[in-house]
């Protein structure tokens, strides 16, 4: 079962009391589903060799179905697998029988190579039904869940009395908390033939388990039908073919533009059958019409493709043109200030009762913030003029062969951010400056502000005809759905809570993720620290903006400073600033009446709270940070230069400061103009990531068509002597460019 379904369904408070049969308008309502039909296709339950069942996969599905059943839901399973189970059993019997006959006939143990005849599907089903059911019973028994088997055919639904009897039996089983396991009786069912009734959607024949599941869902007034498949979903062409694209939302009229492949690898259904059952459920109002509605906006895949095409045009513009776009966006932020603040007020009013104070502070915009944004954008504009196409290395690899390494955009960026509408123009400006296409996914709490900021961004892009290079994803796609677009997105940059970043890092299996999961920043007060510097740095690091990822979360104090004037002043200042202190284990042991003891030394509070712990010296502080920190930003306050240099050298964090606030870990303060985030990764970009972090390189070789590659030992030695560097690292020589 897809984990997204189990998460969505299992989040409700129990017992579930919803009346069955009422349709859902949105995916978020799935948690209220009471009666659920789960359809397991042949390709899901069958092994790759088509002989036998995929036991591990089946056990996982049974576990999740039993969990939902035990939570108070009514679960029905429509399963395939009898043919595969029977095929395995009959193959074994035939091979055993052949080997015995050969041994008796020849009188020897020298057996000839044996072949298995083609097995008829109905015979396999007859041989496999009992074994399949016994397997289900054994698996469900592990979770104290009882099951019952029901075999049906198409005729059972055509006869009114039989249909009523079937519904009555299923309802009685559900009342007794039993999971019905339903299958078409493949031992007697005729071969499938095209059905004229599938041309409409009011009737559906039982010719496979897809149609059986749809018919049962309607007859039993199910809340939810989960049709499991061995592919991710519906593609516009068979998923194994080149350029096949996954379709997130299927609209009326799209069926003509889809090329369906053959039936299922091991069953008789396939994706076309699943589309037919969907239309049947829509007609029967089990699926609300708003799910499959008239196409009014592009899908996220189409937006990604539009962004990629727009991004390529953007990258081909002159540096001055990209800079002009960014300057125009900065002007719009100040010109349209009233409109932006009005939209932001709508978001603030809606979020006031739902969000915590730190999140509300992130959501809020002001005239000062917008002015600061505009200044940052102009700074990006000036630094963008020599970013794309800069030559980093130029080498003559042979006569008339010149090799260059030049900077190029990464491609399509997906930036997912929460409660930070000011992130949108910042990231957009960096993407424009670096020639990257951009997909933006903002939090719904900032929907109004994000909408107007995106409109202004596209207005600025329009002056050079690249409006589509920056797209705002405003449909209901979940983050997990976006993270699987590995063929369309080149880099994901999450900006939000540590939980959001961790979820994205887990979901994005095929796409690199740039960011940090936590901002657990430390400030260490050494025994040789200045009182004034220590007080100022602690106050700024913790109290200036406690919700920021570069705010201090843990204060480490040298043991010899306890009960000194410096320590007393630190405590008094934190008390005045209303900072709640959580005592670490060692600090608590020194106190008779200590503050509340910290639950974890690895906590990002994001508020006026911090942990305070005692260490014996600089080395223990470094060890503590390595063990409990997040490699984000860490600070030492001391007047001892030797101690400071050891701290700076030994500590393995993205940013390490001496006598400076952790709040300086910021792209704007670093002179980057703005940042897309702060990375704690070990490769590519680290620390505040600005324009340089959104660029990669490519190699360009210019030749005369006469020189050939000689990889012999003699040829290699020749190239070794002729390989004359013209320029090694040219970061310090901006006069070089791709055209120079």
């Amino acid at each position: 079962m897809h984990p997204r379904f189990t998460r969505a369904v299992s989040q409700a408070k129990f017992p579930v009391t919803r009346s069955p049969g009422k349709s859902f308008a949105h995916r978020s309502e799935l948690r209220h589903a009471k009666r659920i039909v789960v359809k397991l296709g042949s390709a899901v339950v069958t092994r790759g060799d088509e002989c036998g069942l995929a036991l591990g996969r089946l056990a996982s599905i049974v576990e999740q179905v039993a969990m939902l059943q035990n939570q108070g839901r009514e679960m029905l399973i429509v399963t395939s697998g009898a043919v595969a189970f029977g095929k395995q059993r009959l193959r074994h019997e035939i091979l055993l029988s052949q080997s015995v006959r050969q041994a008796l006939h020849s009188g020897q143990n020298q057996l000839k190579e044996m072949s298995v005849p083609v097995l008829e599907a109905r015979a396999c089903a007859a041989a496999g039904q009992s074994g399949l059911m016994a397997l289900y019973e054994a698996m469900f028994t592990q979770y104290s869940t009882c099951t019952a088997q029901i075999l049906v055919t198409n005729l059972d639904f055509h006869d009114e009395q039989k249909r009523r009897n079937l519904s009555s039996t299923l309802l009685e089983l559900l009342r007794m908390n039993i999971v019905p396991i339903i299958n078409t009786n493949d031992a007697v069912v005729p071969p499938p033939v095209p059905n004229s009734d599938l041309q409409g959607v009011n009737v559906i024949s039982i010719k496979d388990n897809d149609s059986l599941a749809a018919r049962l869902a309607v007859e039993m007034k199910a809340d939810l039908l989960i049709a499991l498949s061995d592919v991710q979903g519906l593609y516009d062409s068979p998923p194994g073919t080149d350029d096949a694209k996954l379709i997130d939302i299927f609209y009326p009229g799209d069926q003509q533009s889809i090329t369906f492949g053959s039936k299922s690898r091991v069953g008789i259904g396939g994706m076309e059958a699943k589309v037919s059952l969907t239309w049947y459920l829509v007609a029967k109002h089990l699926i609300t019409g708003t799910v499959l509605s008239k196409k009014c906006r592009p899908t996220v895949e189409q937006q990604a493709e539009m962004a990629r095409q727009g991004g390529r045009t953007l990258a081909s513009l002159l540096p001055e043109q990209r800079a002009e776009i960014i300057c125009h966006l900065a002007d719009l932020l100040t010109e349209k200030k009233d409109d932006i603040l009005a939209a932001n007020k709508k978001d603030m009013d809606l979020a006031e009762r739902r969000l915590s104070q730190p999140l509300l502070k992130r959501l809020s915009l002001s005239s000062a913030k917008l002015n600061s944004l505009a200044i940052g954008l102009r700074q990006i504009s000036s630094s963008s003029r020599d970013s794309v196409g800069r030559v980093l290395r130029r080498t003559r690899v042979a006569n008339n062969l010149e090799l260059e390494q030049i900077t190029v955009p990464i491609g399509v960026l997906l930036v997912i951010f929460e409660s930070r509408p000011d992130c949108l123009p910042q990231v957009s400006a960096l993407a424009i400056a670096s020639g990257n296409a951009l997909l933006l996914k903002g939090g719904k709490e900032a929907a109004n502000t994000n909408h107007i900021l995106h409109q202004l961004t596209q207005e600025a892009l329009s002056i050079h005809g690249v409006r589509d290079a920056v797209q705002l994803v405003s449909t209901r796609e979940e983050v997990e759905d976006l993270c699987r677009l590995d063929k369309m997105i080149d880099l994901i940059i999450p900006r939000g809570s540590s939980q959001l970043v961790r979820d994205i890092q887990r979901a994005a299996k095929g796409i690199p993720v740039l960011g940090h999961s936590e901002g657990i920043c430390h400030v260490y007060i050494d025994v040789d620290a200045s009182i004034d510097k220590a007080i100022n740095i602690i106050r700024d690091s913790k109290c200036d903006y406690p919700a920021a990822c570069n705010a201090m979360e843990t204060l480490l104090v040298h043991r010899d400073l306890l009960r000194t004037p410096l320590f007393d002043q630190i405590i008094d200042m934190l008390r005045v600033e209303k900072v709640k202190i959580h005592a670490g284990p060692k600090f608590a042991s020194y106190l008779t009446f200590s503050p509340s003891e910290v639950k974890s030394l690895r906590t990002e509070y994001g508020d006026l709270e911090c942990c305070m712990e005692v260490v014996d010296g600089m080395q223990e502080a470094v060890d503590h940070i390595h063990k409990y920190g997040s490699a984000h930003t860490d600070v030492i306050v001391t007047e001892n230069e030797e101690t400071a240099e050891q701290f700076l050298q030994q500590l393995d964090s993205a940013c390490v400061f001496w006598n400076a606030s952790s709040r300086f870990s910021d792209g704007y303060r670093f002179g980057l103009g703005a940042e897309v985030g702060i990375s704690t990764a070990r490769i590519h970009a680290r620390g505040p990531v600005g324009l340089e972090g959104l660029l990669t390189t490519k190699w360009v070789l210019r030749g005369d068509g006469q020189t050939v590659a000689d990889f012999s030992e003699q040829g290699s030695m020749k190239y070794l002597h002729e390989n004359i560097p013209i320029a090694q690292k040219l970061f310090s020589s901006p006069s070089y460019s791709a055209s120079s």
Side-chain angles (χ1 to χ4, degrees), residues 517-528:
S517 58
E518 292 172 306
I520 305 175
C521 303
H522 293 72
V523 174
Y524 165 56
I525 308 301
D526 186 55
V527 67
D528 296 319

Side-chain angles (χ1 to χ4, degrees), residues 258 479 665:
I258 294 178
V479 168
S665 180

Side-chain angles (χ1 to χ4, degrees), residues 89-282:
R89 182 175 176 184
L90 292 180
R91 280 170 60 94
H92 177 75
E93 293 295 331
I94 291 171
L95 289 173
L96 181 62
S97 176
Q98 286 181 351
S99 64
V100 171
R101 284 201 303 270
Q102 285 189 29
L104 292 174
H105 188 267
S106 62
Q108 303 176 15
N109 287 328
Q110 296 177 349
L111 303 180
K112 298 178 182 178
E113 185 178 346
M114 293 174 288
S115 61
V116 179
V118 176
L119 299 174
E120 204 273 329
R122 285 193 289 268
C124 292
Q129 283 287 0
S130 59
L132 177 65
M133 193 60 206
L135 181 62
Y136 271 118
E137 287 181 352
M139 287 183 170
F140 273 106
T141 299
Q142 303 298 314
Y143 305 98
S144 302
T145 302
C146 186
T147 59
Q149 182 184 29
I150 296 179
L151 297 176
V152 298
T153 66
N154 200 20
L155 297 176
D156 294 325
F157 290 90
H158 286 178
D159 185 287
E160 182 67 26
Q161 185 60 47
K162 288 183 177 181
R163 194 166 73 249
R164 284 200 298 267
N165 291 343
L166 174 62
S167 297
S168 175
T169 300
L170 290 172
L171 287 172
E172 183 64 15
L173 292 173
L174 294 176
R175 188 187 66 79
M176 293 188 291
N177 202 32
I178 294 174
V179 177
I181 298 179
I182 307 128
N183 193 1
T184 53
N185 191 352
D186 293 328
V188 298
V189 73
V193 294
N195 289 290
S196 58
D197 56 6
L198 287 178
Q199 315 231 339
V201 291
N202 291 322
V203 183
I204 187 167
S205 293
I206 308 303
K207 64 170 187 172
D208 52 50
N209 278 330
D210 289 316
S211 50
L212 171 59
R215 189 67 183 263
L216 274 173
V218 171
E219 294 287 341
M220 298 303 298
K221 296 183 173 59
D223 300 317
L224 177 64
L225 168 59
I226 303 175
L228 302 184
S229 172
D230 62 339
V231 295
Q232 286 186 319
L234 179 61
Y235 289 78
D236 60 359
S237 58
T241 60
D242 293 337
D243 300 325
K245 293 182 180 179
L246 191 63
I247 300 173
D248 269 348
I249 303 177
F250 186 70
Y251 299 97
D254 280 356
Q255 194 159 357
Q256 303 301 320
S257 62
I258 294 178
T259 303
F260 290 103
S262 58
K263 67 178 182 63
S264 169
R265 171 176 56 86
V266 289
I268 59 175
M271 194 53 68
E272 189 169 11
K274 291 173 179 59
V275 172
S276 297
L277 79 84
T278 303
W279 289 124
Y280 174 64
L281 296 176
V282 171

Side-chain angles (χ1 to χ4, degrees), residues 403-565:
L403 180 67
E404 289 180 343
Q405 184 185 20
I406 65 173
T407 57
V408 294
I410 289 175
V412 178
L413 313 177
L414 169 61
V415 177
I416 303 170
F417 55 100
E418 294 177 325
S419 307
R420 289 282 300 271
D422 55 330
C423 171
L424 194 152
Q426 285 181 343
V427 174
S428 297
L430 287 169
I432 294 166
S434 56
N436 284 290
L438 182 61
L439 282 176
L440 292 158
K441 175 66 173 174
K444 62 183 179 181
E445 65 279 355
N448 294 297
T449 316
N450 288 338
H451 178 69
I452 189 170
L453 290 174
H454 178 248
Q455 281 185 328
L456 298 179
T457 303
Q458 290 201 315
E459 182 179 337
L461 288 163
S462 297
I463 65 174
H464 288 297
V466 286
R467 178 185 178 88
D468 290 340
V470 176
Q471 298 283 328
L472 180 64
V473 179
S474 55
T475 55
R476 288 186 168 270
E477 276 80 11
E478 293 186 357
V479 168
E480 186 175 323
D481 298 323
L482 295 169
C483 289
R484 59 174 168 71
L485 300 177
D486 57 309
K487 293 183 179 179
M488 300 181 176
I489 295 170
D490 300 297
L491 179 67
I492 299 177
I493 304 172
R495 296 194 63 174
S497 66
S498 57
Q499 186 60 51
L500 170 73
V501 179
R502 283 193 295 268
D503 289 343
I504 292 172
Q505 288 172 335
R506 279 194 296 266
K509 296 178 181 178
I511 310 173
V513 178
L514 180 72
H516 63 280
S517 58
E518 292 172 306
I520 305 175
C521 303
H522 293 72
V523 174
Y524 165 56
I525 308 301
D526 186 55
V527 67
D528 296 319
S530 158
I531 292 180
D532 292 339
K533 291 179 182 178
I535 296 296
N536 289 336
I537 289 171
I538 294 171
R539 180 189 289 113
D540 190 65
S541 295
K542 179 72 259 184
C543 307
D544 175 63
Y545 190 5
C549 65
N550 58 9
M552 181 194 78
E553 303 294 0
T554 298
L555 176 62
L556 300 177
V557 180
H558 194 288
R559 181 185 59 185
D560 293 345
L561 292 177
L562 294 178
R563 301 184 180 89
T564 65

